Amino acid sequence: MNKKTLRDVCLKGKKVIMRVDFNVPIKEGVIKDDTRIKGALPSIKYVLDNGGSLILMSHLGRPDEKGITPDTTLKIVADDLAKKLGKPVVFVPDCAEADAQVAAMKPGDIVMLENTRYHKEEQAKAKQKDGESDEDFKARKAALKEQQKVLAKKLASYGDIYCNDAFGTAHRAHASTAVITKYIDTAVAGFLMEKEIQYLGSAVENPVRPFVAILGGAKVSDKLAVVKNLLNKVDTLIIGGGMAYTFLKALGHSVGNSLCELDQVDYAKEMIAKAKELGVKLLLPVDTVVADKFDPEANTKIVTEVPDGWMGLDIGPETIKLYSDAIKSAKTVVWNGPMGCFEMEKFSKGTFGICEAVAEVKGNGGISIIGGGDSVAAVNKSGLADKMSHISTGGGASLEFLEGKVLPGVAALNDLRKVFIAGNWKMNKTAAETKALCEELKASLAQFDGKCEIAVCPTFTSLATAVEVLKGSNVKVGAQNIHWADNGAFTGEISGAMLKEVGVEYVIIGHSERRQYFGETDETVNKRIKAALKYGLKPIVCIGETLEERESGVTNKVLDKQIKGAFADLTADDMATITIAYEPVWAIGTGKTATPDVAQATHAFIRSVLIDLFGAAGNRVVVQYGGSMKPGNSAELIAKEDIDGGLIGGAALKAADFTELIKNGIGA
Ligand code: 13P
């Protein structure tokens, strides 16, 4: 995950304003389910244990619709939390009036603010009223947005650090979930948020295959975007629940009185065709439990075609078997939505049958993720919850994640790694040409100051010129190689002291062209990295597989060996100034680029090796992609979760190309 978490900031003596999801069910003053409170405890305890103090905020229920009721005050939650932590929690009855209580806080103290939704500007939702003109409505909406900023600024003023641990509301751009980050510099994820994003993110972006998604629930129209997005990711898509009948209708089956959205039949046809085109297995019910009415006591039978006058309310036994076989063979399963009306016993076998199959995945070494209120409820009811890898706390948020949407509450948090784009000029440009190009770049790249890190790496004889022209600009200079010795009889080589003297900041090490033509090995790469660190130069370490290696399926093995060789004996602290450039050799200078998905999968693998070796520090290492990155593909490559920029060859040799590539890459 490319977002900072509580682990990445110093908490000692700091006030942390934390958005949690304490939207728990309360009836007559009693909390009916405290899962969400327990879910936030790791983040809460971490802040307190590390010398910080905490101001907690949350929404509870929908006071905008129902008005303020005893079931929407967070006072009850504050008392429960105090009991759980065994220490006082100061409750503030108005979230916008906490100055005095916050000023009195000492490290280890906790303040809990009243329901943020008692202020309508938290959500700033506006519906046009009867008789209200378009203009008045627009003005009212704009005024509400302004009030939202005022509330967000007030909430931000309580803390030094903002932490969002409320995944369940991360799909909302509210004052306390997203707008607040405009008024506070440090914004990080809590551990619950981190866990949700890691599970859902790696399932969608980098699944261990076979990847099977199961979608159910009443309506196709609720899941249009999910079906479309998942078809591009999964090996098998299973559809059950009410939404299956629209698909069955699209295939010409009879659906009787079952739920069927006629206006979505064409969409279903389109998705069936898309699945075929992509080679994705799309599984639909082969038999159905039908009822003569929507009633727990209805007459039922099992059919392959739904007769007139009957409605399908669950998948049949053959379908349970078909779906279960596909699920059990999967290594990654995502499930959202029940298979039938499982609240009624007669129509619950499908959903619970699927529960049992999904529960086997974890035991077989796979990953199972459950999202969405109804499927989570079914899993809890089945008693199999502890057999699932991850049960998401966010229904709507997890669905939007599966749709491929960016969640505003996540997007607003600080990135862990900055984007870094460097030009490797290789053996091109004389000193005179370097001067001309650097002058152009100095002017055209100034617009990206503060938005990303930029460097150019000319050949040795041009370094002094580049350093001179780019002095004081936002464009840094790097060399293309360094020798490991301090000095001596190494004809044609250059030392760290020499590079330092000339004023460069970066140095490329282990480029595949050096490995291929000049005998570079993992061992010499390791020695050069150590020399660069000794002289305070920042290494850009290149790794990558050849075409032959990729085609014979050993890419990850090759990269693992290169990483372990290059960084042998280095510590987590050493990794702080190191950049890795993943450059598939077959893509360099060939015009062939790894597709964004292929590149992302490899970057995710590199990230996992770095985390294994260096823990959290491995997650902070910037990993660039290199190999035919151009203005036309930089956006889609750098948009990927684990691709943090690029090492550019050909497209770095013209100011216009390099500028356009960066502009598109960072979306400026
Ligand atoms: P191209 O961008 O020309 O493919 O080169 C990539 C590279 O080798 C950068 O180091």
Side-chain angles (χ1 to χ4, degrees):
M1 175 181 81
N2 187 21
K3 289 292 170 191
K4 281 191 181 157
T5 72
L6 285 170
R7 266 182 242 102
D8 299 304
V9 286
C10 172
L11 296 163
K12 197 157 184 241
K14 295 281 174 17
K15 288 183 176 141
V16 179
I17 171 120
M18 187 186 287
R19 176 59 157 97
V20 285
D21 187 355
F22 284 171
N23 181 27
V24 292
I26 296 179
K27 269 234 159 77
E28 285 146 20
V30 178
I31 297 169
K32 294 286 172 202
D33 179 353
D34 65 353
T35 315
R36 285 180 166 164
I37 306 176
K38 285 188 190 142
L41 289 178
S43 294
I44 291 174
K45 286 185 178 160
Y46 185 85
V47 172
L48 302 177
D49 290 348
N50 284 280
S53 54
L54 259 179
I55 301 107
L56 294 169
M57 57 180 172
S58 176
H59 76 285
L60 178 53
R62 294 188 168 159
D64 56 320
E65 287 166 15
K66 297 190 181 138
I68 296 175
T69 66
D71 291 349
T72 56
T73 173
L74 280 161
K75 172 79 176 79
I76 299 157
V77 178
D79 293 343
D80 182 77
L81 182 65
K83 259 190 237 148
K84 287 189 164 64
L85 293 171
K87 63 189 310 179
V89 173
V90 175
F91 181 71
V92 180
D94 182 342
C95 71
E97 304 268 346
D99 289 333
Q101 291 90 336
V102 170
M105 290 175 87
K106 294 186 299 303
D109 285 352
I110 313 171
V111 160
M112 167 102 225
L113 307 180
E114 179 56 292
N115 194 341
T116 48
R117 287 196 188 165
Y118 281 0
H119 286 258
K120 65 179 182 323
E121 59 270 33
E122 157 74 332
Q123 301 182 80
K125 271 202 303 201
K127 247 195 197 156
Q128 195 159 8
K129 294 177 190 159
D130 281 346
E132 188 177 31
S133 72
D134 288 351
E135 218 158 76
D136 286 352
F137 175 53
K138 226 167 122 189
R140 190 163 61 81
K141 247 185 359 191
L144 203 51
K145 285 278 171 207
E146 283 310 307
Q147 288 169 23
Q148 187 179 49
K149 289 184 195 160
V150 174
L151 176 64
K153 200 169 173 180
K154 182 80 211 171
L155 296 170
S157 74
Y158 300 148
D160 306 303
I161 293 167
Y162 169 71
C163 173
N164 192 346
D165 209 19
F167 179 74
T169 35
H171 57 314
R172 306 281 180 223
H174 292 167
S176 68
T177 61
V179 187
I180 185 170
T181 60
K182 294 201 166 81
Y183 306 101
I184 194 161
D185 287 341
T186 311
V188 303
F191 301 134
L192 183 60
M193 176 77 98
E194 180 189 35
K195 191 169 158 225
E196 291 273 10
I197 298 171
Q198 270 170 355
Y199 268 105
L200 290 163
S202 52
V204 175
E205 285 299 332
N206 188 32
V208 185
R209 296 186 181 276
F211 176 17
V212 174
I214 313 156
L215 294 178
K219 289 181 174 172
V220 178
S221 49
D222 288 341
K223 301 227 164 82
L224 296 178
V226 187
V227 173
K228 203 171 201 162
N229 191 39
L230 285 181
L231 274 180
N232 290 308
K233 317 267 181 192
V234 298
D235 300 295
T236 304
L237 181 63
I238 292 177
I239 293 185
M243 65 186 281
Y245 301 105
T246 306
F247 280 85
L248 290 173
K249 176 95 184 164
L251 288 173
H253 292 281
S254 58
V255 296
N257 292 344
S258 312
L259 243 179
C260 178
E261 291 167 275
L262 292 176
D263 56 344
Q264 299 300 341
V265 171
D266 283 345
Y267 172 82
K269 281 185 185 159
E270 200 187 305
M271 291 302 108
I272 292 165
K274 191 171 171 202
K276 208 176 220 168
E277 182 193 317
L278 292 168
V280 170
K281 249 195 233 161
L282 178 66
L283 299 185
L284 293 166
V286 290
D287 60 350
T288 304
V289 180
V290 293
D292 57 356
K293 56 182 174 205
F294 188 74
D295 191 294
E297 301 307 325
N299 293 309
T300 66
K301 54 185 179 177
I302 294 159
V303 296
T304 48
E305 295 287 328
V306 182
D308 283 350
W310 292 72
M311 62 181 79
L313 292 180
D314 195 10
I315 54 174
E318 286 304 315
T319 308
I320 297 178
K321 188 169 175 329
L322 174 77
Y323 287 6
S324 297
D325 288 347
I327 293 165
K328 285 180 201 168
S329 68
K331 280 279 173 268
T332 305
V333 172
V334 169
W335 179 19
N336 189 306
M339 296 291 103
C341 293
F342 74 100
E343 301 83 355
M344 300 186 221
E345 213 259 314
K346 284 188 173 174
F347 314 111
S348 65
K349 287 196 183 73
T351 301
F352 291 125
I354 294 307
C355 258
E356 278 169 29
V358 176
E360 283 190 33
V361 174
K362 188 173 143 192
N364 293 337
I367 292 172
S368 50
I369 301 168
I370 323 297
D374 288 336
S375 13
V376 172
V379 168
N380 286 333
K381 207 168 156 190
S382 72
L384 294 167
D386 62 342
K387 299 243 167 8
M388 309 298 175
S389 312
H390 180 65
I391 297 182
S392 178
T393 53
S398 70
L399 204 58
E400 292 203 10
F401 205 103
L402 297 179
E403 285 175 13
K405 279 193 188 157
V406 175
L407 308 183
V410 178
L413 301 175
N414 297 158
D415 282 339
L416 181 62
R417 304 178 297 270
K418 61 182 186 309
V419 171
F420 177 23
I421 301 176
N424 174 9
W425 292 4
K426 308 190 179 181
M427 200 177 73
N428 292 294
K429 306 287 174 191
T430 61
E433 288 164 348
T434 296
K435 183 167 184 286
L437 180 52
C438 285
E439 272 162 2
E440 268 191 272
L441 290 173
K442 187 175 176 173
S444 69
L445 302 181
Q447 58 180 314
F448 307 125
D449 194 10
K451 296 188 176 144
C452 66
E453 178 85 355
I454 304 172
V456 292
C457 305
T459 195
F460 291 135
T461 52
S462 294
L463 289 176
T465 308
V467 168
E468 175 64 25
V469 177
L470 295 170
K471 201 177 344 175
S473 81
N474 58 325
V475 185
K476 312 284 171 46
V477 180
Q480 295 174 18
N481 197 9
I482 179 176
H483 194 266
W484 52 86
D486 292 328
N487 50 48
F490 300 102
T491 305
E493 289 295 326
I494 192 150
S495 74
M498 293 164 186
L499 292 176
K500 198 67 193 167
E501 181 186 49
V502 99
V504 307
E505 198 169 313
Y506 288 97
V507 56
I508 298 174
I509 295 174
H511 192 279
S512 67
E513 286 149 16
R514 294 216 59 85
R515 294 181 191 250
Q516 198 175 348
Y517 307 125
F518 303 104
E520 190 83 81
T521 62
D522 292 338
E523 199 188 345
T524 54
V525 167
N526 178 252
K527 286 167 137 184
R528 293 183 207 276
I529 295 173
K530 287 174 180 163
L533 293 176
K534 177 174 166 188
Y535 285 96
L537 296 162
K538 299 175 182 166
I540 301 173
V541 181
C542 302
I543 56 171
E545 81 287 0
T546 61
L547 185 58
E548 205 185 352
E549 287 163 342
R550 176 155 289 266
E551 284 177 347
S552 52
V554 294
T555 299
N556 289 358
K557 213 169 134 198
V558 169
L559 296 174
D560 185 72
K561 185 172 164 288
Q562 288 178 343
I563 294 171
K564 287 181 177 149
F567 303 122
D569 316 319
L570 297 192
T571 64
D573 286 347
D574 291 331
M575 297 308 287
T577 58
I578 290 176
T579 298
I580 292 180
Y582 164 60
E583 300 203 318
V585 178
W586 47 273
I588 296 176
T590 57
K592 285 186 197 156
T593 337
T595 62
D597 283 341
V598 167
Q600 163 58 27
T602 314
H603 277 242
F605 171 74
I606 294 168
R607 173 87 39 225
S608 69
V609 176
L610 291 171
I611 291 173
D612 269 359
L613 290 175
F614 303 107
N619 204 22
R620 285 187 214 113
V621 175
V622 169
V623 184
Q624 300 171 321
Y625 169 80
S628 301
M629 194 188 273
K630 304 251 172 331
N633 60 19
S634 58
E636 45 177 8
L637 284 161
I638 296 175
K640 290 290 174 189
E641 170 77 18
D642 291 295
I643 302 181
D644 308 316
L647 183 59
I648 319 300
L653 296 173
K654 280 197 189 135
D657 290 348
F658 197 47
T659 308
E660 189 70 8
L661 182 153
I662 297 174
K663 191 174 177 160
N664 297 342
I666 63 172

